[in-house]
Amino acid sequence: MPGFCAEKYSIGLEEGFIEARARMDSELRKLITRHIAADEVRNLRVRTSYSNVKFKHILLPVWIAAYRYGDRIYKFVVNGQTGLVKGEAPVSIVKAAAIAVVVLSLIVLYYFYRTNG
């Protein structure tokens, strides 16, 4: 891939398949439990089998970036296909508290005027 930065897989095929299988089994268990019309499901045994398993290498447009704000470094990832962004953002405790106070004040005023109006 000349001109593009690429990274090797950080998880091997076997390890990735073990993790994928665990996620699939967990999701199947949830779907089966939801499908059963009962208040409680006990002793549920789910046996899955996999056949004709193949691995395909895929290349995804992903941008990884980091920035410094104050004393911390914040990292984020952007999926170039969907535009989905994952990562951390700095949160100002003062601004969050001010917003909470304003919202609570509006709620209190609303109920005060509704009951006394």
Side-chain angles (χ1 to χ4, degrees):
M1 293 185 18
F4 292 95
C5 186
E7 186 176 311
K8 291 182 179 180
Y9 288 106
S10 58
I11 298 176
L13 291 176
E14 289 296 323
E15 184 181 348
F17 183 60
I18 291 169
E19 182 178 333
R21 194 169 49 202
R23 287 185 185 187
M24 287 185 283
D25 288 345
S26 173
E27 190 64 28
L28 284 170
R29 181 176 289 280
K30 287 178 194 173
L31 290 170
I32 292 168
T33 304
R34 274 191 233 134
H35 186 70
I36 298 171
D39 292 336
E40 184 179 339
V41 177
R42 289 188 284 176
N43 300 324
L44 176 65
R45 293 182 194 159
V46 178
R47 291 191 186 133
T48 55
S49 64
Y50 302 90
S51 61
N52 199 19
V53 176
K54 296 180 182 178
F55 299 100
K56 301 214 180 216
H57 294 282
I58 59 172
L59 300 174
L60 300 174
V62 176
W63 287 272
I64 302 170
Y67 62 94
R68 181 182 300 274
Y69 183 80
D71 294 336
R72 286 194 57 200
I73 295 176
Y74 295 91
K75 299 176 185 175
F76 64 96
V77 179
V78 180
N79 182 328
Q81 192 169 18
T82 63
L84 185 66
V85 179
K86 294 280 186 172
E88 296 179 64
V91 177
S92 169
I93 296 173
V94 174
K95 289 179 184 177
I99 290 172
V101 167
V102 168
V103 169
L104 287 174
S105 299
L106 290 173
I107 291 170
V108 168
L109 286 172
Y110 172 76
Y111 283 112
F112 176 74
Y113 283 117
R114 186 171 177 193
T115 56
N116 294 330

